[in-house]
Amino acid sequence: EKGYETGEHAPGLKLGGCGAYKAAHHIIKTHAKVWHSYNNTWRSEQQGMVGISLTSGWGEPVDPHSQRDRDAAERYIQFHLGWFANPIYRGDYPEIMKNYVGQKSAQQGLGTSRLPTFSVQEKTYIKGTSDFLGIGHFTTHYVLQKSFPLLQVSSYHTDHDLAELVDPKWPAPGPNWLYSVPWGFRRLLNFIKTRYGNPLIYVTENGVSEKEQCTQLCDEWRIEYLKGYINEMLKALNDGVNIKGYTAWSLLDKFEWNKGFSERFGLYHTDFKKKNKPRYPKASADYYKEIISANGFPNPREVMS
């Protein structure tokens, strides 16, 4: 979407309303081809696994008693996670995506939907091509119904007829899009369990960057973020979600999309100005080390021997 719809990321194409859908269509078909290639050629010898990693926020209805808001929240998750997960786990794009993009395409006078279609053979070929699901998750939004006028230039963002809101009380330690809302993580993981047959999950990305460079390496907000999100993941494990692994994002400060070196997600501070790029542990590195060594939250009452 950033690369083929808005042009913010490489390759910088602004193919409004259809570019992101075409790119995703190719990604899904290519993923399936790779999975089958491994399955047919190397799996029997190596006993490895091939999966896909999808990044998704969670959408919570502004008013849980409003059917319109609940429907909008469902569209939010289907247009993000379901866009890729539904073909892989259920054989086709989510019905709500097909309906909304199809209707809007027809209203624009287009002969076919801007959302490409899979043939019967492709649906069969794609379904089941994931031995595990990788999940990247960072934040949650409240969602409500919002209709966009037809005259507006078509885009992925206006196709799902919704608006995203945040609670001003939510901590926003990182960039302007990343609010700390740990409870949304548990809801997302339970949604995956319910909709996709409780697949094996590896959390491949979860973390927060900092607004300003923390020269004292005292990133308490990152510690609070990790504590909250890992705790909700543990609750999801107790709910029966099949989570196998968790990766904090990220080990060290690095090049971050179009933000370059300015957006720092690392547990380790990287000094980019020095030739050999020395790294220094932030407070979160020590905290995360404790969690790993305890394989859970360390007991604060435990006496260190």
Side-chain angles (χ1 to χ4, degrees), residues 170-186:
W170 288 346
N176 57 7
W177 60 270
L178 211 172
Y179 293 82
S180 180
V181 196
W183 52 261
F185 193 22
R186 181 184 184 184

mmCIF file of all heavy atoms in Angstrom, residues 170-186:
data_model
loop_
_atom_site.group_PDB
_atom_site.id
_atom_site.type_symbol
_atom_site.label_atom_id
_atom_site.label_comp_id
_atom_site.label_asym_id
_atom_site.label_seq_id
_atom_site.Cartn_x
_atom_site.Cartn_y
_atom_site.Cartn_z
ATOM 1 N N TRP A 170 -4.428 7.087 25.745
ATOM 2 C CA TRP A 170 -3.453 6.047 25.403
ATOM 3 C C TRP A 170 -2.054 6.640 25.358
ATOM 4 O O TRP A 170 -1.847 7.694 24.735
ATOM 5 C CB TRP A 170 -3.775 5.441 24.037
ATOM 6 C CG TRP A 170 -4.990 4.564 24.017
ATOM 7 C CD1 TRP A 170 -5.664 4.035 25.075
ATOM 8 C CD2 TRP A 170 -5.686 4.106 22.840
ATOM 9 N NE1 TRP A 170 -6.726 3.277 24.641
ATOM 10 C CE2 TRP A 170 -6.770 3.304 23.283
ATOM 11 C CE3 TRP A 170 -5.501 4.294 21.469
ATOM 12 C CZ2 TRP A 170 -7.652 2.693 22.399
ATOM 13 C CZ3 TRP A 170 -6.383 3.689 20.589
ATOM 14 C CH2 TRP A 170 -7.440 2.890 21.046
ATOM 15 N N PRO A 171 -1.068 5.988 25.983
ATOM 16 C CA PRO A 171 0.307 6.491 25.878
ATOM 17 C C PRO A 171 0.779 6.427 24.427
ATOM 18 O O PRO A 171 0.473 5.482 23.714
ATOM 19 C CB PRO A 171 1.110 5.518 26.754
ATOM 20 C CG PRO A 171 0.107 4.769 27.573
ATOM 21 C CD PRO A 171 -1.174 4.768 26.796
ATOM 22 N N ALA A 172 1.494 7.467 24.004
ATOM 23 C CA ALA A 172 2.056 7.495 22.655
ATOM 24 C C ALA A 172 3.546 7.794 22.746
ATOM 25 O O ALA A 172 4.001 8.888 22.432
ATOM 26 C CB ALA A 172 1.349 8.546 21.812
ATOM 27 N N PRO A 173 4.319 6.809 23.204
ATOM 28 C CA PRO A 173 5.743 7.066 23.441
ATOM 29 C C PRO A 173 6.545 7.195 22.160
ATOM 30 O O PRO A 173 7.598 7.805 22.130
ATOM 31 C CB PRO A 173 6.199 5.834 24.234
ATOM 32 C CG PRO A 173 5.231 4.760 23.850
ATOM 33 C CD PRO A 173 3.934 5.438 23.546
ATOM 34 N N GLY A 174 6.053 6.602 21.076
ATOM 35 C CA GLY A 174 6.834 6.547 19.846
ATOM 36 C C GLY A 174 6.325 7.515 18.797
ATOM 37 O O GLY A 174 5.935 8.637 19.105
ATOM 38 N N PRO A 175 6.289 7.085 17.526
ATOM 39 C CA PRO A 175 5.821 7.958 16.456
ATOM 40 C C PRO A 175 4.323 8.210 16.577
ATOM 41 O O PRO A 175 3.637 7.591 17.385
ATOM 42 C CB PRO A 175 6.137 7.152 15.190
ATOM 43 C CG PRO A 175 6.181 5.738 15.639
ATOM 44 C CD PRO A 175 6.660 5.754 17.053
ATOM 45 N N ASN A 176 3.803 9.140 15.736
ATOM 46 C CA ASN A 176 2.415 9.575 15.924
ATOM 47 C C ASN A 176 1.385 8.495 15.619
ATOM 48 O O ASN A 176 0.206 8.670 15.873
ATOM 49 C CB ASN A 176 2.133 10.831 15.075
ATOM 50 C CG ASN A 176 2.417 10.596 13.595
ATOM 51 O OD1 ASN A 176 2.695 9.465 13.179
ATOM 52 N ND2 ASN A 176 2.359 11.642 12.812
ATOM 53 N N TRP A 177 1.794 7.353 15.069
ATOM 54 C CA TRP A 177 0.814 6.288 14.774
ATOM 55 C C TRP A 177 0.837 5.174 15.819
ATOM 56 O O TRP A 177 -0.044 4.329 15.841
ATOM 57 C CB TRP A 177 1.090 5.678 13.392
ATOM 58 C CG TRP A 177 2.456 5.063 13.252
ATOM 59 C CD1 TRP A 177 3.593 5.697 12.833
ATOM 60 C CD2 TRP A 177 2.849 3.718 13.537
ATOM 61 N NE1 TRP A 177 4.671 4.839 12.842
ATOM 62 C CE2 TRP A 177 4.236 3.612 13.265
ATOM 63 C CE3 TRP A 177 2.158 2.581 13.987
ATOM 64 C CZ2 TRP A 177 4.938 2.427 13.442
ATOM 65 C CZ3 TRP A 177 2.872 1.399 14.163
ATOM 66 C CH2 TRP A 177 4.248 1.335 13.890
ATOM 67 N N LEU A 178 1.836 5.178 16.704
ATOM 68 C CA LEU A 178 2.058 4.014 17.559
ATOM 69 C C LEU A 178 1.635 4.299 19.005
ATOM 70 O O LEU A 178 2.418 4.814 19.799
ATOM 71 C CB LEU A 178 3.536 3.596 17.480
ATOM 72 C CG LEU A 178 3.843 2.107 17.640
ATOM 73 C CD1 LEU A 178 5.313 1.808 17.350
ATOM 74 C CD2 LEU A 178 3.474 1.560 18.992
ATOM 75 N N TYR A 179 0.401 3.958 19.302
ATOM 76 C CA TYR A 179 -0.118 4.109 20.668
ATOM 77 C C TYR A 179 -0.002 2.773 21.400
ATOM 78 O O TYR A 179 -0.138 1.717 20.800
ATOM 79 C CB TYR A 179 -1.585 4.552 20.633
ATOM 80 C CG TYR A 179 -1.752 5.942 20.070
ATOM 81 C CD1 TYR A 179 -1.778 6.149 18.688
ATOM 82 C CD2 TYR A 179 -1.857 7.041 20.909
ATOM 83 C CE1 TYR A 179 -1.913 7.431 18.165
ATOM 84 C CE2 TYR A 179 -1.995 8.330 20.391
ATOM 85 C CZ TYR A 179 -2.014 8.511 19.023
ATOM 86 O OH TYR A 179 -2.140 9.779 18.509
ATOM 87 N N SER A 180 0.251 2.851 22.690
ATOM 88 C CA SER A 180 0.378 1.629 23.492
ATOM 89 C C SER A 180 -1.008 1.197 23.981
ATOM 90 O O SER A 180 -1.596 1.834 24.858
ATOM 91 C CB SER A 180 1.309 1.890 24.687
ATOM 92 O OG SER A 180 1.444 0.724 25.452
ATOM 93 N N VAL A 181 -1.516 0.113 23.379
ATOM 94 C CA VAL A 181 -2.856 -0.402 23.706
ATOM 95 C C VAL A 181 -2.760 -1.918 23.852
ATOM 96 O O VAL A 181 -3.191 -2.676 22.974
ATOM 97 C CB VAL A 181 -3.887 -0.041 22.600
ATOM 98 C CG1 VAL A 181 -5.312 -0.217 23.117
ATOM 99 C CG2 VAL A 181 -3.667 1.353 22.052
ATOM 100 N N PRO A 182 -2.167 -2.407 24.938
ATOM 101 C CA PRO A 182 -1.863 -3.842 25.038
ATOM 102 C C PRO A 182 -3.059 -4.763 24.851
ATOM 103 O O PRO A 182 -2.935 -5.829 24.243
ATOM 104 C CB PRO A 182 -1.266 -3.976 26.449
ATOM 105 C CG PRO A 182 -0.726 -2.624 26.776
ATOM 106 C CD PRO A 182 -1.651 -1.656 26.113
ATOM 107 N N TRP A 183 -4.260 -4.374 25.331
ATOM 108 C CA TRP A 183 -5.396 -5.294 25.265
ATOM 109 C C TRP A 183 -5.793 -5.642 23.832
ATOM 110 O O TRP A 183 -6.368 -6.691 23.571
ATOM 111 C CB TRP A 183 -6.595 -4.763 26.049
ATOM 112 C CG TRP A 183 -7.033 -3.361 25.731
ATOM 113 C CD1 TRP A 183 -6.734 -2.234 26.441
ATOM 114 C CD2 TRP A 183 -7.862 -2.932 24.637
ATOM 115 N NE1 TRP A 183 -7.321 -1.133 25.856
ATOM 116 C CE2 TRP A 183 -8.019 -1.535 24.750
ATOM 117 C CE3 TRP A 183 -8.486 -3.588 23.576
ATOM 118 C CZ2 TRP A 183 -8.759 -0.770 23.835
ATOM 119 C CZ3 TRP A 183 -9.231 -2.842 22.661
ATOM 120 C CH2 TRP A 183 -9.358 -1.455 22.798
ATOM 121 N N GLY A 184 -5.462 -4.761 22.875
ATOM 122 C CA GLY A 184 -5.783 -5.056 21.480
ATOM 123 C C GLY A 184 -5.009 -6.255 20.949
ATOM 124 O O GLY A 184 -5.472 -6.969 20.051
ATOM 125 N N PHE A 185 -3.828 -6.492 21.518
ATOM 126 C CA PHE A 185 -2.978 -7.617 21.085
ATOM 127 C C PHE A 185 -3.663 -8.951 21.376
ATOM 128 O O PHE A 185 -3.737 -9.838 20.525
ATOM 129 C CB PHE A 185 -1.640 -7.518 21.829
ATOM 130 C CG PHE A 185 -0.545 -8.405 21.291
ATOM 131 C CD1 PHE A 185 -0.570 -8.890 19.996
ATOM 132 C CD2 PHE A 185 0.541 -8.728 22.103
ATOM 133 C CE1 PHE A 185 0.462 -9.695 19.510
ATOM 134 C CE2 PHE A 185 1.571 -9.524 21.619
ATOM 135 C CZ PHE A 185 1.532 -10.006 20.331
ATOM 136 N N ARG A 186 -4.203 -9.062 22.589
ATOM 137 C CA ARG A 186 -4.895 -10.304 22.968
ATOM 138 C C ARG A 186 -6.112 -10.541 22.063
ATOM 139 O O ARG A 186 -6.379 -11.670 21.640
ATOM 140 C CB ARG A 186 -5.334 -10.221 24.429
ATOM 141 C CG ARG A 186 -6.036 -11.467 24.952
ATOM 142 C CD ARG A 186 -6.519 -11.234 26.372
ATOM 143 N NE ARG A 186 -7.126 -12.416 26.974
ATOM 144 C CZ ARG A 186 -7.692 -12.417 28.174
ATOM 145 N NH1 ARG A 186 -7.704 -11.312 28.905
ATOM 146 N NH2 ARG A 186 -8.237 -13.531 28.644
#
